[in-house]
Amino acid sequence: MSDVAPSAETMQTAPFDARFPNTNQTKHCWQNYVDYFKCIDARGEDFAPCKQFWRNYHSLCPNSWIEKWDTQREAGENPSNFTV
């Protein structure tokens, strides 16, 4: 039995994005991560379209990357500019 609690949202694979046509989805993963935080900075966490970026990066990115980036972002050490 899984120790993970079921979420209200179902996980799905991110849809095709013409900006990332290759098999390697690393840039697609990173871009969705950055876009999510830019979106919530601009519109707030309750803005529904931001959730699509969240679902995409959680679908594409390994959990260890997300944890590392979250730690870096919270410490102000992430190399990306998260402001709009």
Side-chain angles (χ1 to χ4, degrees):
M1 190 178 282
S2 175
D3 292 336
V4 178
S7 70
E9 297 182 45
T10 57
M11 295 297 285
Q12 297 178 351
T13 303
F16 176 76
D17 188 332
R19 297 175 298 171
F20 307 100
N22 299 323
T23 303
N24 186 338
Q25 294 293 305
T26 303
K27 286 184 180 182
H28 192 186
C29 153
W30 173 249
Q31 191 62 55
N32 276 282
Y33 181 84
V34 172
D35 287 346
Y36 172 72
F37 287 100
K38 283 184 177 184
C39 184
I40 64 170
D41 283 347
R43 300 291 186 137
E45 289 188 40
D46 295 331
F47 189 61
C50 295
K51 301 279 188 200
Q52 184 64 36
F53 295 123
W54 185 91
R55 285 190 295 271
N56 288 350
Y57 86 77
H58 274 273
S59 171
L60 293 166
C61 304
N63 290 337
S64 60
W65 292 6
I66 296 170
E67 291 170 7
K68 178 182 175 184
W69 295 340
D70 285 345
T71 302
Q72 290 174 339
R73 184 178 43 78
E74 291 165 1
E77 300 169 351
N78 195 295
S80 184
N81 178 8
F82 289 103
T83 57
V84 178

